[in-house]
Amino acid sequence: MRPRARDLGLRPGQFAPGPLNAITDVAGVLVGQETRIAGEGTRTGVTAVRPHSGNLFAERVPAGLAVINGFGKLAGATQLQELGELESPIVLVNTLAVGRAVEAVVDWTLARNPEARSVNAVVGETNDGRLNDIRARGITSQDVLLALDGATDGPVAEGSVGAGTGTVAFGWKGGIGTSSRLLPAALGGFTVGALVQSNYGGALLMDGVPVGRMLGRFYLREHADKGDADGSVMVVIATDAPLSDRNLARLALRAMAGLARTGAAFSDGSGDYAIAFSTHPGVRRPAAGGMVADWPNERMSPLFVAAAEAVEEAVLNSLLRATTVESRDPATGRKRRVEAIDIEAVRAALRRPDAG
């Protein structure tokens, strides 16, 4: 088992993580994943996040969206922004699987809601074509349905799994990562959890340590190479704080601070998206007991800090837990391989006097 960030002594930020150090530390949140490895070329998968185990179409949760660079195909984004709510789970796939995933989410939702005539399926993506035969479109509707139906509230598998099976980050194997933060009672006592699909680049920082430069792999190293910068990242943030969609959009934006702390380049070809939602029963739509008051603006800052910290650590976990993946390019027949980051090299870098 490859280590997580905390196994290496990394402690990004100031707040403590939850018991699982995962998005599922937010009560009610479920995560399901299906990994598709077939033949020599298919290296992809599905990751699904369900805000609660009930009927989300009937009990919608407030949500907000933040976009830094919109180079992506995020289905359902405009209605999410317009109404400030989720009526479907969030599903992550690869770029050319968005259409099939939307159909599967619609089927899944219609089967549970015979009166529904419209479904806003929220499906995000990153392009895993560097390792995956993306044109073969290996993800099926059944894969999406399995991820949705198999979602659980326990530990979340990380690294080269689900929608992170074929992704690449900072020149190394990327993947799925997750983390959480607990606020002390004096600051509300809420939990903030993050899940990322890392497939982007820059100059990797690990809790402020320039590991990418130390290991000689970073964006613009030769002043011409863009290979380790372009890509995309999807971030999902969950909290049990009673937030409005407006403050959830503000919370989602702080995810970008977490990405920046990892050394993200936010390049022209990178799609950088974050969706935040609240699981608090009082802000569900419709809520059984009526909507509770929105958490006040002047008390949002600790939540902002927690979101940035959780996203930063989730990215580090996605890299550290990822394993080396190989495939073969169907067009050229050439072998493709992206190495997982060398754990011993990371340990050595963190021990260096110039690591700070």
Side-chain angles (χ1 to χ4, degrees):
M1 182 71 71
R2 288 172 60 87
R4 304 182 82 193
R6 290 180 180 262
D7 298 326
L8 300 182
L10 295 166
R11 299 288 187 273
Q14 57 188 344
F15 292 126
L20 297 174
N21 196 8
I23 193 171
T24 46
D25 283 322
V26 179
V29 174
L30 312 174
V31 176
Q33 303 195 83
E34 284 295 312
T35 300
R36 290 280 291 143
I37 297 176
E40 294 186 310
T42 298
R43 307 287 186 270
T44 193
V46 181
T47 298
V49 179
R50 294 173 57 185
H52 60 75
S53 61
N55 186 336
L56 187 58
F57 189 81
E59 292 186 79
R60 305 173 189 191
V61 297
L65 170 67
V67 182
I68 289 293
N69 193 57
F71 196 107
K73 291 79 185 166
L74 176 55
T78 55
Q79 183 170 314
L80 192 162
Q81 287 182 307
E82 182 72 17
L83 301 184
E85 63 188 25
L86 285 171
E87 62 184 46
S88 83
I90 300 167
V91 171
L92 306 179
V93 290
N94 71 56
T95 306
L96 297 188
V98 171
R100 287 183 177 176
V102 166
E103 293 240 351
V105 173
V106 169
D107 288 343
W108 189 84
T109 304
L110 292 179
R112 289 156 178 78
N113 298 277
E115 78 290 352
R117 298 177 61 189
S118 173
V119 178
N120 188 51
V122 176
V123 178
E125 55 80 27
T126 70
N127 193 317
D128 58 12
R130 184 167 166 184
L131 278 168
N132 175 48
D133 181 7
I134 196 168
R135 291 172 61 93
R137 309 187 46 204
I139 290 175
T140 66
S141 294
Q142 185 64 22
D143 294 322
V144 179
L145 296 176
L146 286 171
L148 290 168
D149 289 332
T152 66
D153 60 358
V156 177
E158 296 173 296
S160 307
V161 297
T165 301
T167 63
V168 180
F170 298 99
W172 289 285
K173 183 67 190 67
I176 296 297
T178 189
S179 183
S180 68
R181 291 294 185 273
L182 302 179
L183 296 188
L187 298 177
F190 302 118
T191 302
V192 177
L195 180 142
V196 303
Q197 179 190 20
S198 66
N199 192 49
Y200 67 103
L204 176 62
L205 299 172
M206 289 189 162
D207 199 7
V209 179
V211 172
R213 292 203 301 273
M214 288 176 168
L215 301 187
R217 189 176 298 186
F218 55 92
Y219 177 48
L220 296 179
R221 180 186 178 199
E222 305 300 330
H223 304 284
D225 176 22
K226 288 184 64 178
D228 291 343
D230 281 349
S232 294
V233 58
M234 285 295 310
V235 179
V236 180
I237 297 174
T239 183
D240 54 5
L243 303 186
S244 65
D245 53 272
R246 178 183 57 82
N247 269 331
L248 286 163
R250 298 176 74 203
L251 190 67
L253 185 60
R254 270 58 180 190
M256 304 309 170
L259 296 177
R261 293 175 187 178
T262 68
F266 297 109
S267 68
D268 174 69
S270 180
D272 314 301
Y273 298 87
I275 299 171
F277 61 82
S278 171
T279 65
H280 193 288
V283 294
R284 290 187 188 178
R285 304 173 180 177
M291 181 174 285
V292 303
D294 183 21
W295 194 245
N297 292 333
E298 62 270 19
R299 300 193 67 185
M300 283 297 299
S301 292
L303 290 163
F304 293 161
V305 172
E309 291 180 7
V311 169
E312 178 185 6
E313 187 167 344
V315 170
L316 302 185
N317 287 335
S318 76
L319 282 157
L320 293 167
R321 294 300 294 270
T323 53
T324 298
V325 171
E326 296 181 350
S327 64
R328 193 172 297 278
D329 188 322
T332 66
R334 293 176 183 170
K335 182 179 178 181
R336 304 184 290 193
R337 177 183 174 94
V338 176
E339 298 278 350
I341 195 167
D342 187 322
I343 299 298
E344 292 310 312
V346 171
R347 292 185 196 274
L350 295 176
R351 290 194 297 264
R352 281 173 47 169
D354 55 343

